[in-house]
Amino acid sequence: MKFETKYHKQIRENIKTILWLNSNMQSSHWGRVLFIVLLFLGSFHIKNVAAQGVQTGSNQTETELLVAELTSIGFENIAVRSTESDLTIAYENRVYRSQHRALSEVLKTIAQSDVTADSLHVLMLYREQPMSQVSTSLADLRAMVAGEISYQQWQQGSRFTMEHDRSLEALRGVERVQRTRFRPEIPIGLGMRYQLGNYNNPYRFAFDLQPELRVPLPYGVTANFRLAIPLYNDFDNNFDRNTKIRPSLIALTYERRLYDGIYASATTGIFTRNRRGWHAMLKTFLWEEVFSITLNGGQTLFTDLTGEPFFRSFEERDFHFYTASADYRWRRYDLNIRAQYGKYLYEDTGLRVDVHRHFGDALFGFFFMDTRFGNNYGFNFSLPFPQRKSLKAGPVRIRTATHFPVVYHYEGQNFRARIHETGITMDQVLMEFYPSYLRKEMERWF
Amino acid sequence: MSFTFSRCFIIFSSKKHEVGNVVSKVSFFHNLKCVLQYRSLVALALIILFVPILSEAQSLTGTSGLFHIPTARTQVDKSLIIGLHQLPPQYSLYGRGIHNNRYGYATITFLPRVELMFRYTNMMGVEKFPDRGPFMDRMVAFRLLVLRETRILPAILFGIHDPVSPKSYEQDKYFGANYIVLTKALKFDNIIFDTSIGYALDLPYQKTQVYEGVFGGFSLSMEEYQWLELMLEYDSNRWNTAAKVRILNRVQIMAGLMEFKRPAGGISYRFQF
């Protein structure tokens, strides 16, 4: 009876959310569009909620109790297969800002449950796609959580890997609980455009609030719709359109794990930097997360739906792009080195080298480029927003974005080796699931 | 020192103040002259003194060092330091000899042996026209710890500040420095004597400007009071002295005299990831 009551309460809260959104979003054209989409999707979710997870009675097995506990925390796409010797669990995290924190919570929940097995395999998902896996002895995990052995001792006997064919096979046919499909979330981020160093005006900034509607659809497809709501602008406020609420990104993205270590993504829609078109990416890991190769390609046309660019006469044309890059991950320091060559946006051809390192949940790096248009270099960083845990799964989850990215080019206002945002996130997100990174970062939670 | 700072605090809130007698007023003004000149920095320092946070040892340039000279010390891995310093015009090519330099910087220990810095310098007091603003200069610095200090050997570090591309050789370059520096800590009872000696040299297309030739210095601290450091150095052009105070290992406040004549200093804060 406990879970029936909880879900009915959830539906009541969901309706309150929808009514609140209705009262706050009707003032702008794009706000009304967003509201109608949410209402449509909310109806799918209410149907899903009513259809799943209504557990009653006192005859639940330990496995069912574990699943119920994981769903109550807010994890989604949960699948569990229990045999005499093995326990295989898959989950997706949209609750915690960091994947390592989510994994630690899952492991603690499992350790504190009454399930029995010799081996435990925990498979981490992203947009329903398997990313990384932790395999360990359940007894060792319980000993570590209880403080009988140290985290270092436990992780030495455990396996963190990006190979998960066997776990996927074990979970074949198992129904997922608390699915993410049609359960949208609205991360609210901050966008910044700026210029430093112009002697006429050394600090010029434009800040936009960027709520994004992200709707997971079946088979690894995600629909993204992001608005830019101007907060402050003394950078490009001479363009009237850039001072109004406008779309920032509208994309339909397909991301999928093809085989162990091979990921593919494709997207179409309206992208940043006033582009629209399509983009495809293929990423192959040759040796765990240490060596990988990424191929990118796409075609873009101009659009002014997302704002007015500085150099419209140059940008108002079609550009196609294709690049190949090789990545090396220095696991000891969570350092990534990428060498990328090809044709970038704006028909610039040449080499770009990026070096960045994870500093916990933050990321700092620098880059250098040598292309047809000239040399340039700069640095970038991505700082995590303070909200470490968002609300549990509901029809619409509103939260802050996970990070605030900033890029600095030594020479701005040019078209050298420019890249744009297209909705494909797999390339960046995969780094949060790298086994070596998870292994190191999880220690602080135990 | 505490009396001086507390009177400074009163001065910030009002332009008038009263002292006991004329003689006291004259000496008070004389002593406070340098403090009033940098009152905004001092006020910020006082505010942050009471905020419980941590920091480490930066030089005036923004990189790890004594007062104006670099040392072979680097911060703990994954440290990020942001700071604000001010330098009198006589000691900077970017001041034309008449404008103070005030700069903000961010220094990161990107790897245990690699320190990177980005600095943005403002030329103070430049006359502003309606269509012009203050002059700003950007620079980066790269430092590589070649050898860690051992019981016998000193730490050895190579650094390069404000590198420019060969195509823009010496254009907009004001803070160039290329150097090798050695640092060794010596301990006598409970006194720590951290000594450094270095050499600045020109590299192909990279002229050294801030230091030329030999530089060196030392800092003194007590083992029980490592939050306070006293420094004396020769930066290849002049002798300088300064003191650093570290609060809760996060905030650093530094003040000193360039050439034993003109005050300089600043404040920084360290984030540890």
Side-chain angles (χ1 to χ4, degrees), chain B residues 118-141:
Chain B
F118 175 78
R119 195 171 97 184
Y120 206 45
T121 305
N122 189 13
M123 196 190 297
M124 307 295 296
V126 174
E127 189 176 357
K128 293 177 194 176
F129 294 96
D131 60 343
R132 292 165 66 183
F135 291 81
M136 309 288 291
D137 182 81
R138 300 166 293 174
M139 71 162 270
V140 294

mmCIF file of all heavy atoms in Angstrom, chain B residues 118-141:
data_model
loop_
_atom_site.group_PDB
_atom_site.id
_atom_site.type_symbol
_atom_site.label_atom_id
_atom_site.label_comp_id
_atom_site.label_asym_id
_atom_site.label_seq_id
_atom_site.Cartn_x
_atom_site.Cartn_y
_atom_site.Cartn_z
ATOM 1 N N PHE B 118 46.860 33.017 -15.901
ATOM 2 C CA PHE B 118 46.311 34.020 -16.796
ATOM 3 C C PHE B 118 46.140 35.289 -15.991
ATOM 4 O O PHE B 118 45.611 35.259 -14.883
ATOM 5 C CB PHE B 118 44.960 33.569 -17.368
ATOM 6 C CG PHE B 118 44.287 34.615 -18.215
ATOM 7 C CD1 PHE B 118 44.696 34.848 -19.516
ATOM 8 C CD2 PHE B 118 43.255 35.387 -17.699
ATOM 9 C CE1 PHE B 118 44.094 35.822 -20.295
ATOM 10 C CE2 PHE B 118 42.639 36.359 -18.474
ATOM 11 C CZ PHE B 118 43.063 36.575 -19.773
ATOM 12 N N ARG B 119 46.595 36.397 -16.557
ATOM 13 C CA ARG B 119 46.550 37.657 -15.806
ATOM 14 C C ARG B 119 46.000 38.763 -16.691
ATOM 15 O O ARG B 119 46.305 38.816 -17.887
ATOM 16 C CB ARG B 119 47.956 38.009 -15.329
ATOM 17 C CG ARG B 119 48.006 39.065 -14.270
ATOM 18 C CD ARG B 119 49.398 39.166 -13.722
ATOM 19 N NE ARG B 119 50.122 40.250 -14.362
ATOM 20 C CZ ARG B 119 51.400 40.522 -14.135
ATOM 21 N NH1 ARG B 119 52.102 39.770 -13.321
ATOM 22 N NH2 ARG B 119 51.987 41.525 -14.731
ATOM 23 N N TYR B 120 45.236 39.626 -16.079
ATOM 24 C CA TYR B 120 44.608 40.735 -16.793
ATOM 25 C C TYR B 120 44.986 42.012 -16.063
ATOM 26 O O TYR B 120 44.557 42.221 -14.935
ATOM 27 C CB TYR B 120 43.096 40.504 -16.800
ATOM 28 C CG TYR B 120 42.344 41.139 -17.939
ATOM 29 C CD1 TYR B 120 42.801 41.064 -19.252
ATOM 30 C CD2 TYR B 120 41.153 41.802 -17.710
ATOM 31 C CE1 TYR B 120 42.108 41.629 -20.290
ATOM 32 C CE2 TYR B 120 40.442 42.375 -18.745
ATOM 33 C CZ TYR B 120 40.924 42.284 -20.037
ATOM 34 O OH TYR B 120 40.222 42.847 -21.066
ATOM 35 N N THR B 121 45.789 42.866 -16.693
ATOM 36 C CA THR B 121 46.357 44.025 -16.005
ATOM 37 C C THR B 121 45.683 45.304 -16.461
ATOM 38 O O THR B 121 45.497 45.536 -17.659
ATOM 39 C CB THR B 121 47.865 44.111 -16.293
ATOM 40 O OG1 THR B 121 48.470 42.878 -15.924
ATOM 41 C CG2 THR B 121 48.504 45.242 -15.503
ATOM 42 N N ASN B 122 45.372 46.125 -15.476
ATOM 43 C CA ASN B 122 44.736 47.403 -15.737
ATOM 44 C C ASN B 122 45.731 48.521 -15.455
ATOM 45 O O ASN B 122 46.396 48.513 -14.418
ATOM 46 C CB ASN B 122 43.507 47.524 -14.821
ATOM 47 C CG ASN B 122 42.645 48.706 -15.157
ATOM 48 O OD1 ASN B 122 42.795 49.331 -16.209
ATOM 49 N ND2 ASN B 122 41.734 49.044 -14.280
ATOM 50 N N MET B 123 45.819 49.467 -16.356
ATOM 51 C CA MET B 123 46.690 50.626 -16.154
ATOM 52 C C MET B 123 45.842 51.687 -15.469
ATOM 53 O O MET B 123 44.907 52.231 -16.072
ATOM 54 C CB MET B 123 47.211 51.119 -17.504
ATOM 55 C CG MET B 123 48.395 52.060 -17.408
ATOM 56 S SD MET B 123 48.797 52.820 -18.976
ATOM 57 C CE MET B 123 49.236 51.430 -19.984
ATOM 58 N N MET B 124 46.138 51.985 -14.228
ATOM 59 C CA MET B 124 45.269 52.863 -13.446
ATOM 60 C C MET B 124 45.479 54.316 -13.801
ATOM 61 O O MET B 124 46.588 54.750 -14.094
ATOM 62 C CB MET B 124 45.565 52.678 -11.942
ATOM 63 C CG MET B 124 45.501 51.252 -11.461
ATOM 64 S SD MET B 124 43.853 50.575 -11.576
ATOM 65 C CE MET B 124 42.985 51.610 -10.440
ATOM 66 N N GLY B 125 44.399 55.070 -13.737
ATOM 67 C CA GLY B 125 44.503 56.513 -13.870
ATOM 68 C C GLY B 125 44.676 57.017 -15.288
ATOM 69 O O GLY B 125 44.970 58.189 -15.495
ATOM 70 N N VAL B 126 44.451 56.160 -16.268
ATOM 71 C CA VAL B 126 44.538 56.629 -17.657
ATOM 72 C C VAL B 126 43.304 57.470 -17.940
ATOM 73 O O VAL B 126 42.192 57.078 -17.628
ATOM 74 C CB VAL B 126 44.605 55.430 -18.625
ATOM 75 C CG1 VAL B 126 44.538 55.894 -20.065
ATOM 76 C CG2 VAL B 126 45.876 54.647 -18.386
ATOM 77 N N GLU B 127 43.513 58.615 -18.525
ATOM 78 C CA GLU B 127 42.392 59.508 -18.761
ATOM 79 C C GLU B 127 41.379 58.838 -19.682
ATOM 80 O O GLU B 127 41.714 58.280 -20.710
ATOM 81 C CB GLU B 127 42.906 60.788 -19.409
ATOM 82 C CG GLU B 127 41.854 61.877 -19.490
ATOM 83 C CD GLU B 127 42.427 63.151 -20.057
ATOM 84 O OE1 GLU B 127 43.635 63.195 -20.330
ATOM 85 O OE2 GLU B 127 41.655 64.092 -20.252
ATOM 86 N N LYS B 128 40.141 58.909 -19.292
ATOM 87 C CA LYS B 128 39.107 58.213 -20.058
ATOM 88 C C LYS B 128 38.369 59.204 -20.945
ATOM 89 O O LYS B 128 37.855 60.210 -20.493
ATOM 90 C CB LYS B 128 38.109 57.561 -19.114
ATOM 91 C CG LYS B 128 38.715 56.437 -18.301
ATOM 92 C CD LYS B 128 37.705 55.877 -17.333
ATOM 93 C CE LYS B 128 38.423 55.017 -16.315
ATOM 94 N NZ LYS B 128 37.538 54.521 -15.300
ATOM 95 N N PHE B 129 38.305 58.899 -22.202
ATOM 96 C CA PHE B 129 37.475 59.650 -23.124
ATOM 97 C C PHE B 129 36.147 58.931 -23.269
ATOM 98 O O PHE B 129 36.047 57.769 -22.956
ATOM 99 C CB PHE B 129 38.178 59.756 -24.482
ATOM 100 C CG PHE B 129 39.438 60.560 -24.425
ATOM 101 C CD1 PHE B 129 40.668 59.932 -24.270
ATOM 102 C CD2 PHE B 129 39.415 61.939 -24.500
ATOM 103 C CE1 PHE B 129 41.840 60.657 -24.203
ATOM 104 C CE2 PHE B 129 40.575 62.680 -24.426
ATOM 105 C CZ PHE B 129 41.796 62.035 -24.282
ATOM 106 N N PRO B 130 35.120 59.618 -23.792
ATOM 107 C CA PRO B 130 33.811 58.945 -23.903
ATOM 108 C C PRO B 130 33.870 57.652 -24.707
ATOM 109 O O PRO B 130 33.152 56.712 -24.444
ATOM 110 C CB PRO B 130 32.930 59.990 -24.595
ATOM 111 C CG PRO B 130 33.572 61.295 -24.286
ATOM 112 C CD PRO B 130 35.041 61.035 -24.193
ATOM 113 N N ASP B 131 34.759 57.615 -25.710
ATOM 114 C CA ASP B 131 34.787 56.417 -26.539
ATOM 115 C C ASP B 131 35.963 55.506 -26.200
ATOM 116 O O ASP B 131 36.294 54.613 -26.949
ATOM 117 C CB ASP B 131 34.862 56.814 -28.021
ATOM 118 C CG ASP B 131 36.115 57.642 -28.323
ATOM 119 O OD1 ASP B 131 36.708 58.158 -27.367
ATOM 120 O OD2 ASP B 131 36.467 57.757 -29.506
ATOM 121 N N ARG B 132 36.610 55.753 -25.076
ATOM 122 C CA ARG B 132 37.734 54.909 -24.699
ATOM 123 C C ARG B 132 37.613 54.513 -23.243
ATOM 124 O O ARG B 132 37.047 55.225 -22.429
ATOM 125 C CB ARG B 132 39.055 55.650 -24.909
ATOM 126 C CG ARG B 132 39.369 55.911 -26.368
ATOM 127 C CD ARG B 132 40.454 56.931 -26.533
ATOM 128 N NE ARG B 132 41.726 56.437 -26.021
ATOM 129 C CZ ARG B 132 42.820 57.161 -26.003
ATOM 130 N NH1 ARG B 132 42.809 58.411 -26.408
ATOM 131 N NH2 ARG B 132 43.949 56.672 -25.540
ATOM 132 N N GLY B 133 38.172 53.384 -22.919
ATOM 133 C CA GLY B 133 38.132 52.928 -21.540
ATOM 134 C C GLY B 133 39.529 52.704 -21.017
ATOM 135 O O GLY B 133 40.501 53.070 -21.664
ATOM 136 N N PRO B 134 39.643 52.113 -19.829
ATOM 137 C CA PRO B 134 40.984 51.851 -19.285
ATOM 138 C C PRO B 134 41.722 50.854 -20.165
ATOM 139 O O PRO B 134 41.137 49.987 -20.774
ATOM 140 C CB PRO B 134 40.695 51.257 -17.903
ATOM 141 C CG PRO B 134 39.307 50.759 -17.972
ATOM 142 C CD PRO B 134 38.588 51.627 -18.939
ATOM 143 N N PHE B 135 43.035 50.993 -20.192
ATOM 144 C CA PHE B 135 43.857 50.085 -20.988
ATOM 145 C C PHE B 135 44.079 48.795 -20.218
ATOM 146 O O PHE B 135 44.458 48.796 -19.068
ATOM 147 C CB PHE B 135 45.204 50.750 -21.290
ATOM 148 C CG PHE B 135 45.096 51.906 -22.238
ATOM 149 C CD1 PHE B 135 44.711 53.155 -21.789
ATOM 150 C CD2 PHE B 135 45.351 51.745 -23.580
ATOM 151 C CE1 PHE B 135 44.595 54.224 -22.667
ATOM 152 C CE2 PHE B 135 45.244 52.797 -24.462
ATOM 153 C CZ PHE B 135 44.863 54.037 -24.008
ATOM 154 N N MET B 136 43.876 47.668 -20.879
ATOM 155 C CA MET B 136 44.046 46.365 -20.243
ATOM 156 C C MET B 136 45.054 45.545 -21.040
ATOM 157 O O MET B 136 45.142 45.661 -22.256
ATOM 158 C CB MET B 136 42.728 45.595 -20.209
ATOM 159 C CG MET B 136 41.549 46.372 -19.645
ATOM 160 S SD MET B 136 41.604 46.629 -17.872
ATOM 161 C CE MET B 136 41.353 44.980 -17.272
ATOM 162 N N ASP B 137 45.793 44.715 -20.322
ATOM 163 C CA ASP B 137 46.756 43.847 -20.994
ATOM 164 C C ASP B 137 46.586 42.423 -20.499
ATOM 165 O O ASP B 137 46.387 42.188 -19.303
ATOM 166 C CB ASP B 137 48.184 44.319 -20.715
ATOM 167 C CG ASP B 137 49.212 43.469 -21.425
ATOM 168 O OD1 ASP B 137 49.440 43.691 -22.626
ATOM 169 O OD2 ASP B 137 49.761 42.550 -20.782
ATOM 170 N N ARG B 138 46.655 41.459 -21.395
ATOM 171 C CA ARG B 138 46.531 40.057 -21.007
ATOM 172 C C ARG B 138 47.896 39.404 -21.059
ATOM 173 O O ARG B 138 48.708 39.724 -21.924
ATOM 174 C CB ARG B 138 45.613 39.311 -21.983
ATOM 175 C CG ARG B 138 44.216 39.871 -22.062
ATOM 176 C CD ARG B 138 43.492 39.326 -23.255
ATOM 177 N NE ARG B 138 44.073 39.803 -24.506
ATOM 178 C CZ ARG B 138 43.703 39.387 -25.691
ATOM 179 N NH1 ARG B 138 42.763 38.457 -25.798
ATOM 180 N NH2 ARG B 138 44.256 39.863 -26.776
ATOM 181 N N MET B 139 48.111 38.490 -20.170
ATOM 182 C CA MET B 139 49.328 37.685 -20.268
ATOM 183 C C MET B 139 49.088 36.299 -19.668
ATOM 184 O O MET B 139 48.180 36.110 -18.860
ATOM 185 C CB MET B 139 50.507 38.343 -19.554
ATOM 186 C CG MET B 139 50.411 38.352 -18.056
ATOM 187 S SD MET B 139 52.009 38.657 -17.267
ATOM 188 C CE MET B 139 52.649 37.023 -17.063
ATOM 189 N N VAL B 140 49.903 35.363 -20.131
ATOM 190 C CA VAL B 140 49.846 34.010 -19.565
ATOM 191 C C VAL B 140 51.254 33.665 -19.083
ATOM 192 O O VAL B 140 52.241 34.285 -19.488
ATOM 193 C CB VAL B 140 49.365 32.965 -20.594
ATOM 194 C CG1 VAL B 140 47.922 33.230 -20.978
ATOM 195 C CG2 VAL B 140 50.252 32.919 -21.811
ATOM 196 N N ALA B 141 51.332 32.690 -18.206
ATOM 197 C CA ALA B 141 52.623 32.225 -17.706
ATOM 198 C C ALA B 141 52.581 30.709 -17.607
ATOM 199 O O ALA B 141 51.529 30.121 -17.315
ATOM 200 C CB ALA B 141 52.944 32.837 -16.350
#
